[in-house]
Amino acid sequence: MEAEGRILGPPVLPPSPGGRGGAGAEPPAGAPGAARGLLLAAAAAVEVLALDDDEDDLEVFSKDTSLAEANSFSPSMPISPSSMINQYKFEDEPELRDLFIAVDDPESHVTAIETFITYRVVTKTSRGEFDSSEYEVRRRYQDFLWLKSKLEEAHPTLIIPPLPEKFVMKGMVERFSDEFIETRRKALHKFLNRVADHPTLTFNEDFKIFLTAQAWELSSHKKQGPGLLSRVGQTIRAVASSVRGGVKNRPEMFTEMNHYMETFSEKINTLDKIAHRIYKEEREYFNEMKEYGPIHTLWSASEEDIADSLKDVASCIDKCCKATEKRMAGLSEILLPILHEYVLYNEILMGVLKRRDQIQGELESRVDALANKKTEKDLFSEEIGKLEDKVECANNALKADWDRWKQNMQCDMRSTFTNVAENNLHYYEECLATWESFLASQTVDFHVEEDSEDRP
Amino acid sequence: MEDCLAKKLEITVSEAEKRTGRNAMNIQETYTAYLIETRAVESQSEGQCAPVDSLWRRYSEFELLRNYLSVTYPHIVVPPLPEKRADFVWHKLSADNMDPDFVERRRMGLENFLLRVASHPVLCQDKIFYSFLTQEGGWKEMVNETGFQLKADSRLKALNATFRVKNPDKRFTELKHYSDELQSVISHLLRVRARVADRLYGVYKVHGNYGRVFSEWSAIEKEMGDGLQSAGHHMDVYAASIDDILEEEEHYADQLKEYLFYAEALRAVCRKHELMQYDLEMAAQDLASKKQQCEELATGTVRTFSLKGMTSKLFGQETPEQREAKIKVLEEQIQEGEEQLKSKNLEGRDFVKSAWADIERFKEQKNHDLKEALISYAVMQISVCKKGIQVWTNAKECFSKM
């Protein structure tokens, strides 16, 4: 269980100085058409979220009215002690966090209808838009699902972090076993922290409500909102776009992304399988090793001269056995969750690419539909213009988030695999030390014995 | 150690060859022949190389030699042969007798056997052994002419003695228990070791899958590509390293196996003692009963029930002449019996003495060898750990550069 106030989310990447407005910010939409190409290119480097008249367009993607306040250029000053501590922890991270979330303390609730688990979500923040600096609420898995769907709704072309699955297919873990709950808890913690680290999602209103509202407040809030109609609208658009047969002029960049994702998802799935297989093999090895040491002890009972050597070997083997157990645990904590997360990301990324295609598809179908009605072109140019803006925003948002995701992925993989290597190194170093000390003790005795006996 | 053959003669089993031939029943069979090379040691110190003598022998001839030695020197713990069939295998290791790895390990085991015999103070002086090493033709006939098969004790007789002996030397009883325990514990150890080896193989080989996936993944990555690719290479190295590791461990297993088989040799000596002791006890018993019979006849009192006694009571006693004759026969038998008992006693005591001397020698050898084996096991593990550290250090560096 992580201590409160410490966030283990992926580090937000070296942003341009100026705080949250870095990579991932929605570039100023609505600049005159000619400059759009330039803006697309510059999206990643844009520091500023220009808050001009076209902000209304942004509402399609983001219900974040607090965007205005939060994206001032002054980096948030560390006020609370916990964020000062964090300053030391993430030294290579110039950006300072002002939102800390922990998920812990799973508790079982039994009602007449069902049994479910709630988790405690603790938030500490110095942000102005939060009424208080500390919050503690209880949430169940359903609530997380709700949050995720709201985020997807609000930001269809942003990469929303994955949630742990509803059920575990892999069979070994039962639904409410301690192992399952702990794995889920860690994943939920990761999810919220990834959202908190995301330059846009972190200011999402539903996110804030999720973190702060009491149970009854959340319930009533859930019932509000565009809900059904907007979902229906999206579905219709999706169907329409797929009926049309996809997108005609997809920018090269997104086709490349698709290709990338095809290969990446394949490789990640395979890696996930390999990692599980390694864990399984290590566990079986451990099981056999457990029996190996004690045999030597048993043997020592029949011997005199070599009894001590046998007992020492037995103890060495037992120590190596424990080291193996540690190695297994390390693999399970370090590697498996990350690979699993990225397996889940596969679907998310494919979804995001699809939705971007859908948005472009809408534009194209409207353009096609109006192609013949030359006389009314002016009337519709505004509509087309809005759709074009929508496409551009979506593209820019996705591109920026994609770059951010890729950088995070690279960082995650680098640190995860480095830790795995470290884990294995520790294992071998421990075993080495054990056997070397055995050898040292034996050769001393051995030489003493050899001197005192006649050579046979 | 006294001047044993091993010091004078360099002995190696240097090659193994597959042969086909016809056996005693004229059936075609395939077998492996082993080349025994011998070279006198002395001339080497003069800077000259003595000529190498060599001859081919097959496993069954080694068996014949060992049987001969066991029967001819029952008080000696005779070195065992390497296993006839592959046992305690972990699944990657072949259980096939023709498998080259098995043949190779058996070759080394046979060489070890010859060296053990050659360095044994008593066994090395045996002529049949020397001929085995140096005389290609006619050796089998020579062995059979010794008639050693006739001296061999029947298994049934030995089993009978084991159950019925009353006063075996306590040391031999303890030794028998020890050899049982040794056999049981080493078997168990070898079985578990084989399973552990199996599992370890699995762990290493699965890591090999990383190599291919990393390589394919690196194709779509710009910055991570190099790190992934080279890390994958190290994972391949890691996976491949297990083959050598387990091959070396197999030698360690062979060292333990030798002592597993030695346990049987120990038991054989104990059995011989039990047999001799039982024989002695039977002879003493027989003598005692004859003496009693004689006494009864002489004094006319019948203390024990006998058919003769009953019939003489019923049908009248024998004539004094008949009785005299019987007594005379018995007295002769008793004298013979006493002499036999004396010599059996002496035999028994000699056996115990010389057997125990060899057992002490064996114990020292065992303690020395097993301790060395354990040390070599530790050395192996250290080498495995060092290899692991190297690979993972390299991999870590590659990962950190991704």
Side-chain angles (χ1 to χ4, degrees), chain B residues 131-305:
Chain B
S131 313
F132 180 87
L133 296 174
T134 53
Q135 182 185 322
E136 179 131 36
W139 178 81
K140 259 206 198 141
E141 289 74 13
M142 200 174 160
V143 180
N144 291 328
E145 268 165 32
T146 62
F148 78 92
Q149 281 103 337
L150 300 168
K151 286 194 254 166
D153 299 312
S154 85
R155 265 309 233 217
L156 200 59
K157 209 166 143 212
L159 195 64
N160 186 44
T162 303
F163 284 126
R164 290 163 139 203
V165 66
K166 296 205 186 86
N167 284 318
D169 186 311
K170 273 218 165 59
R171 291 177 297 175
F172 284 94
T173 314
E174 276 168 24
L175 185 67
K176 206 163 63 139
H177 286 151
Y178 170 75
S179 69
D180 286 340
E181 280 168 11
L182 188 70
Q183 186 174 57
S184 151
V185 86
I186 295 186
S187 303
H188 191 193
L189 197 151
L190 286 171
R191 264 197 306 274
V192 175
R193 191 212 69 89
R195 289 204 302 262
V196 168
D198 225 349
R199 290 301 165 197
L200 192 63
Y201 184 83
V203 171
Y204 272 75
K205 284 300 178 189
V206 173
H207 279 82
N209 288 321
Y210 273 142
R212 187 181 45 85
V213 180
F214 282 168
S215 175
E216 290 166 3
W217 182 8
S218 72
I220 55 170
E221 298 289 345
K222 290 199 201 87
E223 289 150 37
M224 286 170 70
D226 288 338
L228 276 175
Q229 183 90 296
S230 40
H233 162 73
H234 292 299
M235 291 296 98
D236 285 337
V237 169
Y238 183 68
S241 68
I242 190 68
D243 294 313
D244 283 345
I245 289 170
L246 287 178
E247 200 184 298
E248 231 191 297
E249 240 193 54
E250 213 54 47
H251 293 310
Y252 168 72
D254 283 340
Q255 287 177 288
L256 294 183
K257 262 185 227 174
E258 196 193 5
Y259 279 93
L260 175 68
F261 301 142
Y262 255 124
E264 180 54 43
L266 276 178
R267 263 214 296 279
V269 176
C270 295
R271 269 201 303 270
K272 183 67 183 179
H273 165 75
E274 282 170 346
L275 201 66
M276 289 180 80
Q277 180 66 15
Y278 178 69
D279 219 20
L280 184 69
E281 286 170 5
M282 287 292 105
Q285 201 176 71
D286 188 55
L287 184 66
S289 96
K290 283 211 165 72
K291 279 190 178 162
Q292 197 170 54
Q293 265 181 41
C294 202
E295 195 198 318
E296 285 171 8
L297 279 176
T299 58
T301 54
V302 180
R303 253 180 260 131
T304 56
F305 175 82

Side-chain angles (χ1 to χ4, degrees), chain A residues 343-393:
Chain A
V343 166
L344 295 174
Y345 260 124
N346 287 336
E347 214 184 301
I348 293 168
L349 286 162
M350 296 306 264
V352 159
L353 286 168
K354 266 214 192 84
R355 284 197 291 278
R356 190 220 68 86
D357 279 354
Q358 280 167 18
I359 292 172
Q360 181 167 342
E362 270 175 57
L363 170 63
E364 285 177 358
S365 70
R366 280 313 269 156
V367 165
D368 284 348
L370 298 170
N372 305 319
K373 305 176 184 174
K374 288 186 190 135
T375 48
E376 297 156 22
K377 238 200 176 130
D378 288 340
L379 268 173
F380 291 103
S381 70
E382 200 190 323
E383 188 191 340
I384 297 288
K386 280 201 170 161
L387 285 174
E388 282 173 341
D389 287 346
K390 192 170 163 189
V391 169
E392 189 172 327
C393 275

Side-chain angles (χ1 to χ4, degrees), chain A residues 143-162:
Chain A
D143 301 330
F144 285 84
L145 282 176
W146 169 84
L147 174 62
K148 180 158 157 92
S149 72
K150 296 304 278 180
L151 292 173
E152 282 170 350
E153 227 179 274
H155 310 275
T157 57
L158 286 187
I159 300 168
I160 314 294

Side-chain angles (χ1 to χ4, degrees), chain B residues 15-197:
Chain B
E15 277 172 48
E17 214 177 72
K18 237 199 244 188
R19 299 262 179 92
T20 46
R22 294 200 171 273
N23 66 6
M25 294 186 286
N26 210 33
I27 296 172
Q28 186 94 348
E29 57 168 5
T30 316
Y31 63 92
T32 311
Y34 299 88
L35 183 67
I36 303 176
E37 289 183 329
T38 49
R39 172 163 55 192
V41 164
E42 293 147 30
S43 42
Q44 278 184 23
S45 53
E46 292 163 6
Q48 303 163 352
C49 253
V52 172
D53 281 327
S54 65
L55 46 75
W56 292 89
R57 295 255 184 246
R58 54 185 294 190
Y59 189 83
S60 57
E61 289 175 280
F62 280 85
E63 278 183 314
L64 184 59
L65 171 66
R66 190 176 186 275
N67 285 341
Y68 162 78
L69 291 173
S70 307
V71 171
T72 314
Y73 304 91
H75 58 292
I76 299 290
V77 183
V78 178
L81 284 172
E83 53 194 351
K84 189 152 199 189
R85 262 163 273 283
D87 214 350
F88 303 111
V89 288
W90 58 280
H91 85 277
K92 277 295 169 234
L93 209 59
S94 176
D96 175 19
N97 282 1
M98 288 295 151
D99 177 72
D101 283 333
F102 175 75
V103 168
E104 172 59 19
R105 292 197 354 264
R106 193 197 248 188
R107 181 197 66 73
M108 294 195 295
L110 291 173
E111 184 177 293
N112 184 54
F113 166 75
L114 292 178
L115 289 173
R116 290 255 194 232
V117 176
S119 21
H120 190 286
V122 171
L123 298 176
C124 72
Q125 297 176 40
D126 186 278
K127 299 269 180 310
I128 296 286
F129 172 60
Y130 189 76
S131 313
F132 180 87
L133 296 174
T134 53
Q135 182 185 322
E136 179 131 36
W139 178 81
K140 259 206 198 141
E141 289 74 13
M142 200 174 160
V143 180
N144 291 328
E145 268 165 32
T146 62
F148 78 92
Q149 281 103 337
L150 300 168
K151 286 194 254 166
D153 299 312
S154 85
R155 265 309 233 217
L156 200 59
K157 209 166 143 212
L159 195 64
N160 186 44
T162 303
F163 284 126
R164 290 163 139 203
V165 66
K166 296 205 186 86
N167 284 318
D169 186 311
K170 273 218 165 59
R171 291 177 297 175
F172 284 94
T173 314
E174 276 168 24
L175 185 67
K176 206 163 63 139
H177 286 151
Y178 170 75
S179 69
D180 286 340
E181 280 168 11
L182 188 70
Q183 186 174 57
S184 151
V185 86
I186 295 186
S187 303
H188 191 193
L189 197 151
L190 286 171
R191 264 197 306 274
V192 175
R193 191 212 69 89
R195 289 204 302 262
V196 168

Side-chain angles (χ1 to χ4, degrees), chain A residues 234-262:
Chain A
Q234 279 188 4
T235 314
I236 290 178
R237 284 198 287 273
V239 170
S241 135
S242 58
V243 162
R244 274 187 62 256
V247 163
K248 279 194 227 156
N249 295 313
R250 187 201 281 149
E252 180 65 28
M253 146 171 50
F254 298 109
T255 307
E256 273 171 27
M257 281 184 198
N258 258 299
H259 287 153
Y260 176 88
M261 276 316 297
E262 268 167 34

Side-chain angles (χ1 to χ4, degrees), chain B residues 335-353:
Chain B
Q335 197 174 35
E336 248 182 71
E338 280 189 334
E339 275 170 29
Q340 264 190 24
L341 192 64
K342 227 193 237 170
S343 72
K344 278 204 162 107
N345 243 315
L346 241 122
E347 252 180 61
R349 273 206 289 272
D350 275 344
F351 177 87
V352 166
K353 189 161 150 231

Side-chain angles (χ1 to χ4, degrees), chain A residues 259-260 263-264 266-268 270-271 274-275 277-278 281-282 284-285 288-289 291-292 295-296 298-299 301-303 305-306 309-310 313 317 327 331 335 339 406 409-410 413-415 417-418 420-422 424-425 427-429 431-432 435-436 438-439 442-443 445-446 449-450 453-456, chain B residues 1 7 178 181-182 185-186 188-189 192-193 195-204 206-207 209-210 212-214 216-217 220-224 228 238 249 252 256 364 366-368 370-372 374-379 381-386 388-390 392-393 395-396 399-402:
Chain A
H259 287 153
Y260 176 88
T263 308
F264 180 82
E266 213 184 279
K267 298 311 147 200
I268 276 293
T270 309
L271 275 177
I274 293 174
R277 182 70 193 283
I278 291 178
E281 296 288 341
E282 283 185 7
E284 313 237 322
Y285 173 67
E288 296 294 349
M289 277 293 266
E291 222 189 302
Y292 196 36
I295 300 177
H296 294 79
L298 184 67
W299 186 358
S302 324
E303 298 288 343
D305 271 42
I306 59 174
S309 301
L310 284 168
V313 167
I317 294 176
R327 174 165 78 159
L331 191 74
L335 185 61
L339 288 179
K406 278 212 75 183
M409 186 273 290
Q410 183 173 341
M413 293 300 167
R414 180 186 337 140
S415 73
F417 279 105
T418 306
V420 167
E422 188 75 46
N424 279 293
L425 272 174
Y427 164 74
Y428 280 113
E429 280 164 359
C431 291
L432 179 68
W435 287 109
E436 276 183 338
F438 165 81
L439 198 66
Q442 294 302 301
T443 41
D445 298 340
F446 202 59
E449 273 177 36
E450 277 191 343
E453 285 172 359
D454 290 335
R455 271 221 164 267
Chain B
M1 180 138 86
K7 296 237 159 109
Y178 170 75
E181 280 168 11
L182 188 70
V185 86
I186 295 186
H188 191 193
L189 197 151
V192 175
R193 191 212 69 89
R195 289 204 302 262
V196 168
D198 225 349
R199 290 301 165 197
L200 192 63
Y201 184 83
V203 171
Y204 272 75
V206 173
H207 279 82
N209 288 321
Y210 273 142
R212 187 181 45 85
V213 180
F214 282 168
E216 290 166 3
W217 182 8
I220 55 170
E221 298 289 345
K222 290 199 201 87
E223 289 150 37
M224 286 170 70
L228 276 175
Y238 183 68
E249 240 193 54
Y252 168 72
L256 294 183
E364 264 181 45
K366 172 206 75 160
N367 288 334
H368 178 275
L370 288 177
K371 197 156 187 195
E372 245 185 36
L374 292 175
I375 288 174
S376 79
Y377 185 73
V379 168
Q381 298 310 307
I382 287 172
S383 147
V384 170
C385 291
K386 284 192 174 153
I389 288 173
Q390 190 177 58
W392 284 103
T393 304
K396 181 178 167 190
F399 287 135
S400 63
K401 292 203 184 118
M402 289 199 320

